[in-house]
Amino acid sequence: MKTRQALLYSSAMSAALLAGCAGMGLGDPKANVAEDKVVYHVNDTAAQAVGALRNIGNHLEVNPKAQIVVVTHAQGVDFLMKDARDRNGNPYSVAVEGLKERGVKFDVCDITLRNRKIERSKFIPEATFVPSGVAEITRLQQREGYAYLRP
């Protein structure tokens, strides 16, 4: 008799736990979506750009309300240049355009442009410019509450 009572109690507790989880949105990852704020830091196109673009797409798939800013500097600005392609020959601009349409912002460091002697006109229209990439990352984290990700 005690075994049956224990089994019934265990079943009831499991059902209550599952109902509680469902109420918390754990069953559907999109059910509990908030406007997360995230800054992605890219400073090396060859090592980071493809992964960053993929990660951002995945991020928006489960949290379409996320506010995402990609801050680039040093060699990380290269994927935002006109005619830039990945190692398979795919243009980065296709993915960037799609993410821009979903609200992602792509910032390019003006100090990098000055140091590398690159004109703003070399960049795709989706790129915006900030005085300093690292200062922008700091501002977003400290003043705006953005989480930091470096793919």
Side-chain angles (χ1 to χ4, degrees), residues 100-133:
K100 181 76 172 184
E101 289 173 3
R102 296 170 73 186
V104 177
K105 186 177 176 200
F106 292 88
D107 288 342
V108 174
C109 172
D110 271 333
I111 292 174
T112 293
L113 300 187
R114 183 186 69 217
N115 291 343
R116 292 182 58 195
K117 297 177 179 40
I118 302 172
E119 307 258 338
R120 285 184 173 190
S121 62
K122 300 286 186 191
F123 289 86
I124 59 177
E126 292 76 19
T128 54
F129 301 91
V130 294
S132 166

PDB file of all heavy atoms in Angstrom, residues 100-133:
ATOM      1  N   LYS A 100      20.143  42.953 -41.233  1.00  0.00           N
ATOM      2  CA  LYS A 100      19.798  44.385 -41.097  1.00  0.00           C
ATOM      3  C   LYS A 100      18.273  44.557 -41.174  1.00  0.00           C
ATOM      4  O   LYS A 100      17.689  45.335 -40.407  1.00  0.00           O
ATOM      5  CB  LYS A 100      20.493  45.192 -42.194  1.00  0.00           C
ATOM      6  CG  LYS A 100      20.236  46.671 -42.147  1.00  0.00           C
ATOM      7  CD  LYS A 100      21.019  47.344 -41.053  1.00  0.00           C
ATOM      8  CE  LYS A 100      20.879  48.852 -41.173  1.00  0.00           C
ATOM      9  NZ  LYS A 100      21.687  49.542 -40.212  1.00  0.00           N
ATOM     10  N   GLU A 101      17.636  43.816 -42.070  1.00  0.00           N
ATOM     11  CA  GLU A 101      16.175  43.867 -42.191  1.00  0.00           C
ATOM     12  C   GLU A 101      15.485  43.393 -40.915  1.00  0.00           C
ATOM     13  O   GLU A 101      14.349  43.761 -40.657  1.00  0.00           O
ATOM     14  CB  GLU A 101      15.708  43.013 -43.374  1.00  0.00           C
ATOM     15  CG  GLU A 101      16.052  43.619 -44.721  1.00  0.00           C
ATOM     16  CD  GLU A 101      15.747  42.694 -45.890  1.00  0.00           C
ATOM     17  OE1 GLU A 101      15.204  41.580 -45.671  1.00  0.00           O
ATOM     18  OE2 GLU A 101      16.057  43.083 -47.027  1.00  0.00           O
ATOM     19  N   ARG A 102      16.186  42.602 -40.119  1.00  0.00           N
ATOM     20  CA  ARG A 102      15.637  42.087 -38.862  1.00  0.00           C
ATOM     21  C   ARG A 102      16.050  42.956 -37.673  1.00  0.00           C
ATOM     22  O   ARG A 102      15.829  42.588 -36.527  1.00  0.00           O
ATOM     23  CB  ARG A 102      16.077  40.644 -38.663  1.00  0.00           C
ATOM     24  CG  ARG A 102      15.512  39.743 -39.759  1.00  0.00           C
ATOM     25  CD  ARG A 102      16.107  38.369 -39.751  1.00  0.00           C
ATOM     26  NE  ARG A 102      15.611  37.589 -38.633  1.00  0.00           N
ATOM     27  CZ  ARG A 102      16.072  36.373 -38.333  1.00  0.00           C
ATOM     28  NH1 ARG A 102      17.013  35.822 -39.070  1.00  0.00           N
ATOM     29  NH2 ARG A 102      15.586  35.728 -37.301  1.00  0.00           N
ATOM     30  N   GLY A 103      16.663  44.113 -37.970  1.00  0.00           N
ATOM     31  CA  GLY A 103      16.966  45.082 -36.922  1.00  0.00           C
ATOM     32  C   GLY A 103      18.391  45.094 -36.411  1.00  0.00           C
ATOM     33  O   GLY A 103      18.708  45.866 -35.505  1.00  0.00           O
ATOM     34  N   VAL A 104      19.258  44.260 -36.960  1.00  0.00           N
ATOM     35  CA  VAL A 104      20.647  44.230 -36.501  1.00  0.00           C
ATOM     36  C   VAL A 104      21.387  45.452 -37.037  1.00  0.00           C
ATOM     37  O   VAL A 104      21.218  45.840 -38.189  1.00  0.00           O
ATOM     38  CB  VAL A 104      21.349  42.931 -36.952  1.00  0.00           C
ATOM     39  CG1 VAL A 104      22.817  42.920 -36.535  1.00  0.00           C
ATOM     40  CG2 VAL A 104      20.617  41.711 -36.404  1.00  0.00           C
ATOM     41  N   LYS A 105      22.208  46.049 -36.198  1.00  0.00           N
ATOM     42  CA  LYS A 105      23.006  47.211 -36.572  1.00  0.00           C
ATOM     43  C   LYS A 105      24.460  46.775 -36.731  1.00  0.00           C
ATOM     44  O   LYS A 105      24.976  45.996 -35.930  1.00  0.00           O
ATOM     45  CB  LYS A 105      22.884  48.282 -35.486  1.00  0.00           C
ATOM     46  CG  LYS A 105      23.542  49.576 -35.827  1.00  0.00           C
ATOM     47  CD  LYS A 105      23.305  50.610 -34.732  1.00  0.00           C
ATOM     48  CE  LYS A 105      24.064  51.874 -35.078  1.00  0.00           C
ATOM     49  NZ  LYS A 105      24.292  52.732 -33.949  1.00  0.00           N
ATOM     50  N   PHE A 106      25.135  47.270 -37.769  1.00  0.00           N
ATOM     51  CA  PHE A 106      26.525  46.934 -38.058  1.00  0.00           C
ATOM     52  C   PHE A 106      27.373  48.196 -37.996  1.00  0.00           C
ATOM     53  O   PHE A 106      27.278  49.055 -38.867  1.00  0.00           O
ATOM     54  CB  PHE A 106      26.635  46.274 -39.437  1.00  0.00           C
ATOM     55  CG  PHE A 106      26.008  44.916 -39.498  1.00  0.00           C
ATOM     56  CD1 PHE A 106      24.665  44.764 -39.802  1.00  0.00           C
ATOM     57  CD2 PHE A 106      26.759  43.783 -39.226  1.00  0.00           C
ATOM     58  CE1 PHE A 106      24.073  43.516 -39.849  1.00  0.00           C
ATOM     59  CE2 PHE A 106      26.185  42.516 -39.273  1.00  0.00           C
ATOM     60  CZ  PHE A 106      24.842  42.382 -39.583  1.00  0.00           C
ATOM     61  N   ASP A 107      28.196  48.307 -36.948  1.00  0.00           N
ATOM     62  CA  ASP A 107      29.033  49.487 -36.735  1.00  0.00           C
ATOM     63  C   ASP A 107      30.471  49.229 -37.171  1.00  0.00           C
ATOM     64  O   ASP A 107      31.028  48.163 -36.898  1.00  0.00           O
ATOM     65  CB  ASP A 107      29.038  49.881 -35.256  1.00  0.00           C
ATOM     66  CG  ASP A 107      27.733  50.487 -34.788  1.00  0.00           C
ATOM     67  OD1 ASP A 107      26.940  50.926 -35.644  1.00  0.00           O
ATOM     68  OD2 ASP A 107      27.516  50.534 -33.565  1.00  0.00           O
ATOM     69  N   VAL A 108      31.071  50.229 -37.801  1.00  0.00           N
ATOM     70  CA  VAL A 108      32.462  50.179 -38.252  1.00  0.00           C
ATOM     71  C   VAL A 108      33.232  51.280 -37.531  1.00  0.00           C
ATOM     72  O   VAL A 108      32.771  52.417 -37.434  1.00  0.00           O
ATOM     73  CB  VAL A 108      32.541  50.384 -39.783  1.00  0.00           C
ATOM     74  CG1 VAL A 108      33.983  50.479 -40.258  1.00  0.00           C
ATOM     75  CG2 VAL A 108      31.807  49.266 -40.508  1.00  0.00           C
ATOM     76  N   CYS A 109      34.418  50.945 -37.071  1.00  0.00           N
ATOM     77  CA  CYS A 109      35.282  51.871 -36.324  1.00  0.00           C
ATOM     78  C   CYS A 109      35.985  52.855 -37.257  1.00  0.00           C
ATOM     79  O   CYS A 109      36.742  52.459 -38.146  1.00  0.00           O
ATOM     80  CB  CYS A 109      36.313  51.046 -35.555  1.00  0.00           C
ATOM     81  SG  CYS A 109      37.588  52.009 -34.763  1.00  0.00           S
ATOM     82  N   ASP A 110      35.760  54.152 -37.026  1.00  0.00           N
ATOM     83  CA  ASP A 110      36.425  55.189 -37.821  1.00  0.00           C
ATOM     84  C   ASP A 110      37.940  55.225 -37.592  1.00  0.00           C
ATOM     85  O   ASP A 110      38.699  55.561 -38.503  1.00  0.00           O
ATOM     86  CB  ASP A 110      35.831  56.565 -37.506  1.00  0.00           C
ATOM     87  CG  ASP A 110      34.635  56.902 -38.387  1.00  0.00           C
ATOM     88  OD1 ASP A 110      34.553  56.392 -39.519  1.00  0.00           O
ATOM     89  OD2 ASP A 110      33.794  57.700 -37.929  1.00  0.00           O
ATOM     90  N   ILE A 111      38.395  54.902 -36.394  1.00  0.00           N
ATOM     91  CA  ILE A 111      39.839  54.881 -36.136  1.00  0.00           C
ATOM     92  C   ILE A 111      40.509  53.827 -37.011  1.00  0.00           C
ATOM     93  O   ILE A 111      41.580  54.060 -37.577  1.00  0.00           O
ATOM     94  CB  ILE A 111      40.147  54.661 -34.642  1.00  0.00           C
ATOM     95  CG1 ILE A 111      39.701  55.880 -33.844  1.00  0.00           C
ATOM     96  CG2 ILE A 111      41.631  54.365 -34.423  1.00  0.00           C
ATOM     97  CD1 ILE A 111      39.816  55.720 -32.331  1.00  0.00           C
ATOM     98  N   THR A 112      39.860  52.678 -37.145  1.00  0.00           N
ATOM     99  CA  THR A 112      40.393  51.635 -38.030  1.00  0.00           C
ATOM    100  C   THR A 112      40.499  52.147 -39.458  1.00  0.00           C
ATOM    101  O   THR A 112      41.516  51.935 -40.133  1.00  0.00           O
ATOM    102  CB  THR A 112      39.511  50.371 -37.981  1.00  0.00           C
ATOM    103  OG1 THR A 112      39.611  49.794 -36.677  1.00  0.00           O
ATOM    104  CG2 THR A 112      39.923  49.355 -39.031  1.00  0.00           C
ATOM    105  N   LEU A 113      39.460  52.834 -39.904  1.00  0.00           N
ATOM    106  CA  LEU A 113      39.481  53.358 -41.277  1.00  0.00           C
ATOM    107  C   LEU A 113      40.627  54.342 -41.457  1.00  0.00           C
ATOM    108  O   LEU A 113      41.339  54.299 -42.471  1.00  0.00           O
ATOM    109  CB  LEU A 113      38.149  54.018 -41.626  1.00  0.00           C
ATOM    110  CG  LEU A 113      36.902  53.141 -41.556  1.00  0.00           C
ATOM    111  CD1 LEU A 113      35.697  53.896 -42.106  1.00  0.00           C
ATOM    112  CD2 LEU A 113      37.101  51.844 -42.291  1.00  0.00           C
ATOM    113  N   ARG A 114      40.809  55.208 -40.496  1.00  0.00           N
ATOM    114  CA  ARG A 114      41.895  56.174 -40.571  1.00  0.00           C
ATOM    115  C   ARG A 114      43.264  55.470 -40.591  1.00  0.00           C
ATOM    116  O   ARG A 114      44.113  55.753 -41.430  1.00  0.00           O
ATOM    117  CB  ARG A 114      41.829  57.138 -39.388  1.00  0.00           C
ATOM    118  CG  ARG A 114      42.901  58.238 -39.444  1.00  0.00           C
ATOM    119  CD  ARG A 114      42.910  59.092 -38.209  1.00  0.00           C
ATOM    120  NE  ARG A 114      43.399  58.303 -37.083  1.00  0.00           N
ATOM    121  CZ  ARG A 114      42.931  58.393 -35.835  1.00  0.00           C
ATOM    122  NH1 ARG A 114      41.968  59.230 -35.542  1.00  0.00           N
ATOM    123  NH2 ARG A 114      43.431  57.653 -34.877  1.00  0.00           N
ATOM    124  N   ASN A 115      43.449  54.528 -39.676  1.00  0.00           N
ATOM    125  CA  ASN A 115      44.739  53.837 -39.580  1.00  0.00           C
ATOM    126  C   ASN A 115      45.046  52.966 -40.795  1.00  0.00           C
ATOM    127  O   ASN A 115      46.204  52.832 -41.185  1.00  0.00           O
ATOM    128  CB  ASN A 115      44.802  52.996 -38.307  1.00  0.00           C
ATOM    129  CG  ASN A 115      44.861  53.840 -37.061  1.00  0.00           C
ATOM    130  OD1 ASN A 115      45.157  55.033 -37.109  1.00  0.00           O
ATOM    131  ND2 ASN A 115      44.564  53.233 -35.927  1.00  0.00           N
ATOM    132  N   ARG A 116      44.001  52.389 -41.379  1.00  0.00           N
ATOM    133  CA  ARG A 116      44.196  51.523 -42.545  1.00  0.00           C
ATOM    134  C   ARG A 116      44.009  52.291 -43.855  1.00  0.00           C
ATOM    135  O   ARG A 116      44.115  51.705 -44.915  1.00  0.00           O
ATOM    136  CB  ARG A 116      43.226  50.336 -42.473  1.00  0.00           C
ATOM    137  CG  ARG A 116      43.570  49.379 -41.323  1.00  0.00           C
ATOM    138  CD  ARG A 116      42.656  48.184 -41.258  1.00  0.00           C
ATOM    139  NE  ARG A 116      42.679  47.425 -42.499  1.00  0.00           N
ATOM    140  CZ  ARG A 116      41.771  46.510 -42.831  1.00  0.00           C
ATOM    141  NH1 ARG A 116      40.761  46.234 -42.004  1.00  0.00           N
ATOM    142  NH2 ARG A 116      41.856  45.866 -43.967  1.00  0.00           N
ATOM    143  N   LYS A 117      43.717  53.568 -43.758  1.00  0.00           N
ATOM    144  CA  LYS A 117      43.511  54.420 -44.936  1.00  0.00           C
ATOM    145  C   LYS A 117      42.433  53.846 -45.868  1.00  0.00           C
ATOM    146  O   LYS A 117      42.630  53.694 -47.068  1.00  0.00           O
ATOM    147  CB  LYS A 117      44.829  54.627 -45.675  1.00  0.00           C
ATOM    148  CG  LYS A 117      45.861  55.366 -44.851  1.00  0.00           C
ATOM    149  CD  LYS A 117      47.166  55.487 -45.566  1.00  0.00           C
ATOM    150  CE  LYS A 117      48.225  56.235 -44.806  1.00  0.00           C
ATOM    151  NZ  LYS A 117      48.363  56.039 -43.408  1.00  0.00           N
ATOM    152  N   ILE A 118      41.271  53.575 -45.277  1.00  0.00           N
ATOM    153  CA  ILE A 118      40.119  53.051 -46.018  1.00  0.00           C
ATOM    154  C   ILE A 118      39.035  54.116 -46.011  1.00  0.00           C
ATOM    155  O   ILE A 118      38.717  54.691 -44.965  1.00  0.00           O
ATOM    156  CB  ILE A 118      39.567  51.759 -45.377  1.00  0.00           C
ATOM    157  CG1 ILE A 118      40.650  50.675 -45.288  1.00  0.00           C
ATOM    158  CG2 ILE A 118      38.366  51.241 -46.173  1.00  0.00           C
ATOM    159  CD1 ILE A 118      40.217  49.457 -44.486  1.00  0.00           C
ATOM    160  N   GLU A 119      38.436  54.361 -47.155  1.00  0.00           N
ATOM    161  CA  GLU A 119      37.352  55.347 -47.277  1.00  0.00           C
ATOM    162  C   GLU A 119      36.005  54.704 -46.907  1.00  0.00           C
ATOM    163  O   GLU A 119      35.777  53.525 -47.189  1.00  0.00           O
ATOM    164  CB  GLU A 119      37.278  55.842 -48.724  1.00  0.00           C
ATOM    165  CG  GLU A 119      38.580  56.353 -49.275  1.00  0.00           C
ATOM    166  CD  GLU A 119      38.635  57.860 -49.280  1.00  0.00           C
ATOM    167  OE1 GLU A 119      37.567  58.484 -49.266  1.00  0.00           O
ATOM    168  OE2 GLU A 119      39.763  58.382 -49.298  1.00  0.00           O
ATOM    169  N   ARG A 120      35.129  55.491 -46.322  1.00  0.00           N
ATOM    170  CA  ARG A 120      33.777  55.011 -46.001  1.00  0.00           C
ATOM    171  C   ARG A 120      33.046  54.504 -47.240  1.00  0.00           C
ATOM    172  O   ARG A 120      32.216  53.606 -47.139  1.00  0.00           O
ATOM    173  CB  ARG A 120      32.956  56.113 -45.344  1.00  0.00           C
ATOM    174  CG  ARG A 120      33.311  56.382 -43.915  1.00  0.00           C
ATOM    175  CD  ARG A 120      32.379  57.427 -43.331  1.00  0.00           C
ATOM    176  NE  ARG A 120      32.599  57.598 -41.902  1.00  0.00           N
ATOM    177  CZ  ARG A 120      31.803  58.294 -41.124  1.00  0.00           C
ATOM    178  NH1 ARG A 120      30.737  58.905 -41.628  1.00  0.00           N
ATOM    179  NH2 ARG A 120      32.070  58.396 -39.836  1.00  0.00           N
ATOM    180  N   SER A 121      33.337  55.066 -48.373  1.00  0.00           N
ATOM    181  CA  SER A 121      32.654  54.684 -49.616  1.00  0.00           C
ATOM    182  C   SER A 121      32.933  53.232 -50.013  1.00  0.00           C
ATOM    183  O   SER A 121      32.242  52.687 -50.863  1.00  0.00           O
ATOM    184  CB  SER A 121      33.067  55.615 -50.758  1.00  0.00           C
ATOM    185  OG  SER A 121      34.462  55.497 -51.004  1.00  0.00           O
ATOM    186  N   LYS A 122      33.883  52.590 -49.394  1.00  0.00           N
ATOM    187  CA  LYS A 122      34.232  51.200 -49.700  1.00  0.00           C
ATOM    188  C   LYS A 122      33.291  50.202 -49.022  1.00  0.00           C
ATOM    189  O   LYS A 122      33.382  49.003 -49.250  1.00  0.00           O
ATOM    190  CB  LYS A 122      35.675  50.891 -49.266  1.00  0.00           C
ATOM    191  CG  LYS A 122      36.720  51.746 -49.927  1.00  0.00           C
ATOM    192  CD  LYS A 122      36.941  51.348 -51.345  1.00  0.00           C
ATOM    193  CE  LYS A 122      38.107  52.140 -51.938  1.00  0.00           C
ATOM    194  NZ  LYS A 122      38.197  51.984 -53.365  1.00  0.00           N
ATOM    195  N   PHE A 123      32.384  50.725 -48.186  1.00  0.00           N
ATOM    196  CA  PHE A 123      31.534  49.850 -47.385  1.00  0.00           C
ATOM    197  C   PHE A 123      30.118  49.746 -47.939  1.00  0.00           C
ATOM    198  O   PHE A 123      29.635  50.645 -48.618  1.00  0.00           O
ATOM    199  CB  PHE A 123      31.510  50.336 -45.933  1.00  0.00           C
ATOM    200  CG  PHE A 123      32.820  50.082 -45.243  1.00  0.00           C
ATOM    201  CD1 PHE A 123      33.855  51.001 -45.352  1.00  0.00           C
ATOM    202  CD2 PHE A 123      33.033  48.919 -44.538  1.00  0.00           C
ATOM    203  CE1 PHE A 123      35.075  50.763 -44.760  1.00  0.00           C
ATOM    204  CE2 PHE A 123      34.256  48.668 -43.940  1.00  0.00           C
ATOM    205  CZ  PHE A 123      35.276  49.589 -44.056  1.00  0.00           C
ATOM    206  N   ILE A 124      29.463  48.624 -47.621  1.00  0.00           N
ATOM    207  CA  ILE A 124      28.080  48.405 -48.049  1.00  0.00           C
ATOM    208  C   ILE A 124      27.162  49.394 -47.315  1.00  0.00           C
ATOM    209  O   ILE A 124      27.511  49.888 -46.233  1.00  0.00           O
ATOM    210  CB  ILE A 124      27.642  46.943 -47.810  1.00  0.00           C
ATOM    211  CG1 ILE A 124      27.753  46.557 -46.330  1.00  0.00           C
ATOM    212  CG2 ILE A 124      28.462  46.001 -48.691  1.00  0.00           C
ATOM    213  CD1 ILE A 124      27.271  45.140 -46.026  1.00  0.00           C
ATOM    214  N   PRO A 125      25.999  49.671 -47.876  1.00  0.00           N
ATOM    215  CA  PRO A 125      25.101  50.675 -47.271  1.00  0.00           C
ATOM    216  C   PRO A 125      24.600  50.296 -45.874  1.00  0.00           C
ATOM    217  O   PRO A 125      24.197  51.172 -45.112  1.00  0.00           O
ATOM    218  CB  PRO A 125      23.923  50.747 -48.244  1.00  0.00           C
ATOM    219  CG  PRO A 125      24.368  50.108 -49.497  1.00  0.00           C
ATOM    220  CD  PRO A 125      25.497  49.184 -49.156  1.00  0.00           C
ATOM    221  N   GLU A 126      24.621  49.027 -45.534  1.00  0.00           N
ATOM    222  CA  GLU A 126      24.130  48.587 -44.222  1.00  0.00           C
ATOM    223  C   GLU A 126      25.072  48.969 -43.084  1.00  0.00           C
ATOM    224  O   GLU A 126      24.687  48.923 -41.916  1.00  0.00           O
ATOM    225  CB  GLU A 126      23.911  47.068 -44.222  1.00  0.00           C
ATOM    226  CG  GLU A 126      22.770  46.602 -45.095  1.00  0.00           C
ATOM    227  CD  GLU A 126      23.103  46.619 -46.591  1.00  0.00           C
ATOM    228  OE1 GLU A 126      24.301  46.645 -46.961  1.00  0.00           O
ATOM    229  OE2 GLU A 126      22.154  46.613 -47.398  1.00  0.00           O
ATOM    230  N   ALA A 127      26.306  49.330 -43.407  1.00  0.00           N
ATOM    231  CA  ALA A 127      27.284  49.695 -42.381  1.00  0.00           C
ATOM    232  C   ALA A 127      27.039  51.118 -41.885  1.00  0.00           C
ATOM    233  O   ALA A 127      26.734  52.016 -42.657  1.00  0.00           O
ATOM    234  CB  ALA A 127      28.699  49.574 -42.943  1.00  0.00           C
ATOM    235  N   THR A 128      27.169  51.291 -40.580  1.00  0.00           N
ATOM    236  CA  THR A 128      27.160  52.613 -39.965  1.00  0.00           C
ATOM    237  C   THR A 128      28.531  52.811 -39.308  1.00  0.00           C
ATOM    238  O   THR A 128      29.276  51.851 -39.115  1.00  0.00           O
ATOM    239  CB  THR A 128      26.037  52.753 -38.924  1.00  0.00           C
ATOM    240  OG1 THR A 128      26.137  51.690 -37.973  1.00  0.00           O
ATOM    241  CG2 THR A 128      24.666  52.693 -39.586  1.00  0.00           C
ATOM    242  N   PHE A 129      28.857  54.032 -38.972  1.00  0.00           N
ATOM    243  CA  PHE A 129      30.202  54.332 -38.508  1.00  0.00           C
ATOM    244  C   PHE A 129      30.169  54.952 -37.119  1.00  0.00           C
ATOM    245  O   PHE A 129      29.278  55.749 -36.808  1.00  0.00           O
ATOM    246  CB  PHE A 129      30.898  55.254 -39.512  1.00  0.00           C
ATOM    247  CG  PHE A 129      30.979  54.626 -40.881  1.00  0.00           C
ATOM    248  CD1 PHE A 129      29.969  54.828 -41.805  1.00  0.00           C
ATOM    249  CD2 PHE A 129      32.026  53.793 -41.216  1.00  0.00           C
ATOM    250  CE1 PHE A 129      30.005  54.222 -43.056  1.00  0.00           C
ATOM    251  CE2 PHE A 129      32.082  53.183 -42.465  1.00  0.00           C
ATOM    252  CZ  PHE A 129      31.071  53.401 -43.387  1.00  0.00           C
ATOM    253  N   VAL A 130      31.126  54.532 -36.300  1.00  0.00           N
ATOM    254  CA  VAL A 130      31.269  55.052 -34.942  1.00  0.00           C
ATOM    255  C   VAL A 130      32.703  55.552 -34.783  1.00  0.00           C
ATOM    256  O   VAL A 130      33.616  55.052 -35.449  1.00  0.00           O
ATOM    257  CB  VAL A 130      30.940  53.987 -33.878  1.00  0.00           C
ATOM    258  CG1 VAL A 130      29.467  53.597 -33.947  1.00  0.00           C
ATOM    259  CG2 VAL A 130      31.822  52.757 -34.018  1.00  0.00           C
ATOM    260  N   PRO A 131      32.921  56.552 -33.922  1.00  0.00           N
ATOM    261  CA  PRO A 131      34.269  57.096 -33.775  1.00  0.00           C
ATOM    262  C   PRO A 131      35.315  56.044 -33.373  1.00  0.00           C
ATOM    263  O   PRO A 131      36.431  56.044 -33.886  1.00  0.00           O
ATOM    264  CB  PRO A 131      34.115  58.159 -32.681  1.00  0.00           C
ATOM    265  CG  PRO A 131      32.673  58.539 -32.731  1.00  0.00           C
ATOM    266  CD  PRO A 131      31.941  57.290 -33.137  1.00  0.00           C
ATOM    267  N   SER A 132      34.953  55.151 -32.457  1.00  0.00           N
ATOM    268  CA  SER A 132      35.872  54.126 -31.979  1.00  0.00           C
ATOM    269  C   SER A 132      35.094  52.848 -31.684  1.00  0.00           C
ATOM    270  O   SER A 132      34.099  52.879 -30.957  1.00  0.00           O
ATOM    271  CB  SER A 132      36.570  54.595 -30.700  1.00  0.00           C
ATOM    272  OG  SER A 132      37.220  53.515 -30.057  1.00  0.00           O
ATOM    273  N   GLY A 133      35.545  51.734 -32.237  1.00  0.00           N
ATOM    274  CA  GLY A 133      34.866  50.461 -32.000  1.00  0.00           C
ATOM    275  C   GLY A 133      34.905  50.039 -30.542  1.00  0.00           C
ATOM    276  O   GLY A 133      33.882  49.683 -29.956  1.00  0.00           O
TER     277      GLY A 133
END
